[in-house]
């Protein structure tokens, strides 16, 4: 089988070497397409491949139409909003993710972002500390739970909410369950966002919700830019001169927001949450192993388009 790794934002060389070893040792062919400038490069590269490993690369209906031999796509990471699942299913292509493999990297970034904002983006201005503050974790999956644990160890109080996890379970996992998303926003000094981008969540972080946050609060987004209503965010930052926003996924109107709100907003230049040597290795090797196992045994654990 021919396995293509297509990564606009490449994994480390060590992770790519490890992926290649797994693929080749299992008797498959390995090809790589990295830092490709155009989506058409991906469309051309998939023509004869049987399996595809991607990160945030866009697997659209056009890509799937062009990939006549494709049987499996593994998104080396958690979020799969970049894959057209309906088109994949109609082409009989199995889509998987690698849940949990890059969670620690993202969780560490979320903690770093809180401290960075508390300390005036590392300027000499008098800052504040996270110890004793309340953190609300929005979605208590792999990343959210790690953020909660790390923040607790740093002396924060943890609240959490997750539409798929009952309050009892959230309690068992060591956080105080919020009554509602609005309730959590109104009680927390920091909110760390870990919801996926779905039709239900897109633009759900809107003006009304953001302005529920108490004085001086900070919203931390290491999830997806699409979940934020950018107009609502701009209005919230305008009306509430005390609020702050830090994100690993720059909003489309970032230049305008930065100009207006200066140090109260910060976005990383390129999504970096999962960009560590460890996460590259964990997610990359997991993706390669899942593909090898799928071809050897038909294992579809982690399939997301069932
Ligand atoms: C994920 O969904 O796993 C993260 O957002 C990481 O995305 P990336 O692989 O594009 O860095």
């Amino acid at each position: 089988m021919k396995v293509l790794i297509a990564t606009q934002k490449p994994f480390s060389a060590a992770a790519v070497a490890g992926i290649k070893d797994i693929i080749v040792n299992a008797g498959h062919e390995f090809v790589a397409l990295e830092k490709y400038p155009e989506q058409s490069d991906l469309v051309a590269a998939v023509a004869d491949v049987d399996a595809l490993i991607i990160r945030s690369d866009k697997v659209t209906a056009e890509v799937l139409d062009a990939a006549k031999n494709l049987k499996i796509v593994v998104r080396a990471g958690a979020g799969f909003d970049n894959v057209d699942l309906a088109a994949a299913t109609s082409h009989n292509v199995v889509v998987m993710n690698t849940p949990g493999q890059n969670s620690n990297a993202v969780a560490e970034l979320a903690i770093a972002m809180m401290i960075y904002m508390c300390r005036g983006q590392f300027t000499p201005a008098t800052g504040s500390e996270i110890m004793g503050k309340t953190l609300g974790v929005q979605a208590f999956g792999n990343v959210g739970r790690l953020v909660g644990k790390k923040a607790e160890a740093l002396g924060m109080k943890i609240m959490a909410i997750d539409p798929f996890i009952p309050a009892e379970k959230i309690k068992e996992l060591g956080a105080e369950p919020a009554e509602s998303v609005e309730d959590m926003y109104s009680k927390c000094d920091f909110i760390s966002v870990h919801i996926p981008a779905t039709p239900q969540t897109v633009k759900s972080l809107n003006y009304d919700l953001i302005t529920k946050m108490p004085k001086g609060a900070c919203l931390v987004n290491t999830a997806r830019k699409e979940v934020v209503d950018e107009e609502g965010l701009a209005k919230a930052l305008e009306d509430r001169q005390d609020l702050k926003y830090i994100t690993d996924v720059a909003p489309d109107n970032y230049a305008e927001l930065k100009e207006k709100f200066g140090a109260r907003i910060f976005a990383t230049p390129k999504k970096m949450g999962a960009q560590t040597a460890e996460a590259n290795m964990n997610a990359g090797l997991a993706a390669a192993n899942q593909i090898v196992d799928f071809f050897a045994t038909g294992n579809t654990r982690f399939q997301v388009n069932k």
Side-chain angles (χ1 to χ4, degrees):
M1 299 289 175
K2 186 166 176 177
V3 182
L4 170 69
I5 177 168
T7 45
Q8 216 155 30
K9 179 177 61 186
F11 281 137
S12 66
V16 176
I19 293 167
K20 184 176 179 184
D21 272 357
I22 291 168
I23 302 291
V24 171
N25 290 340
H28 303 298
E29 187 187 346
F30 172 87
V31 278
L33 174 72
E34 293 182 327
K35 292 186 188 168
Y36 54 94
E38 304 292 340
Q39 179 70 5
S40 54
D41 298 320
L42 177 59
V43 174
V46 296
D48 61 346
V49 307
D50 300 279
L52 180 58
I53 297 175
I54 52 159
R55 296 186 66 178
S56 290
D57 307 81
K58 292 187 174 31
V59 177
T60 58
E62 190 192 4
V63 171
L64 290 153
D65 285 342
K68 300 284 178 236
N69 298 340
L70 192 63
K71 293 149 193 81
I72 178 168
V73 176
V74 180
R75 193 282 191 239
F80 44 84
D81 47 308
N82 49 322
V83 180
D84 185 333
L85 293 188
T89 303
S90 75
H91 284 80
N92 286 321
V93 171
V94 169
V95 181
M96 296 184 190
N97 65 351
T98 64
Q101 298 292 345
N102 58 20
S103 302
N104 188 66
V106 180
E108 286 189 10
L109 183 69
I111 298 287
M113 284 182 148
M114 286 194 279
I115 296 173
Y116 187 59
M117 289 307 262
C118 275
R119 305 304 289 263
Q121 298 183 22
F122 297 166
T123 61
T126 300
S128 57
E129 301 177 20
I130 60 171
M131 189 166 75
K133 306 289 188 318
T134 303
L135 167 67
V137 183
Q138 190 175 7
F140 216 38
N142 290 315
V143 183
R145 289 177 204 188
L146 284 171
V147 172
K149 258 197 200 145
K150 292 174 196 301
E152 193 182 14
L154 292 168
M156 298 185 87
K157 291 176 217 130
I158 316 300
M159 285 188 92
I161 194 156
D162 190 305
F164 304 104
I165 304 178
E168 272 313 303
K169 178 77 185 166
I170 287 181
K171 237 189 244 169
E172 260 173 48
L173 291 166
E176 181 191 332
E179 278 165 28
S180 63
V181 174
E182 289 76 13
D183 170 56
M184 191 170 80
Y185 271 65
S186 70
K187 291 178 177 157
C188 291
D189 305 298
F190 294 88
I191 295 287
S192 191
V193 181
H194 303 290
I195 52 177
T198 67
Q200 290 75 38
T201 65
V202 166
K203 293 198 179 186
S204 62
L205 309 192
N206 55 27
Y207 176 85
D208 286 348
L209 188 62
I210 295 167
T211 52
K212 292 240 168 353
M213 296 178 81
K215 194 166 169 29
C218 180
L219 181 61
V220 180
N221 183 6
T222 52
R224 291 290 182 270
K225 71 174 179 177
E226 289 81 2
V227 301
V228 176
D229 171 11
E230 295 185 3
E231 273 176 32
L233 171 70
K235 189 166 162 21
L237 291 171
E238 182 81 59
D239 291 359
R240 288 277 309 276
Q241 295 291 320
D242 57 299
L243 292 180
K244 301 187 203 87
Y245 180 60
I246 184 161
T247 180
D248 189 27
V249 275
D252 293 335
N253 58 353
Y254 182 52
E256 190 192 312
L257 295 181
K258 188 76 197 157
E259 165 100 33
K260 264 190 169 168
F261 305 117
R264 290 169 49 219
I265 184 164
F266 179 84
T268 54
K270 195 170 184 135
K271 188 162 67 143
M272 58 172 286
Q275 196 62 337
T276 65
E278 294 87 345
N280 280 186
M281 200 58 106
N282 293 340
L285 301 196
N289 282 319
Q290 284 172 217
I291 286 175
V292 166
D293 199 24
F294 172 75
F295 285 130
T297 70
N299 188 346
T300 54
R301 190 170 171 222
F302 305 124
Q303 183 174 356
V304 294
N305 64 332
K306 271 186 185 155

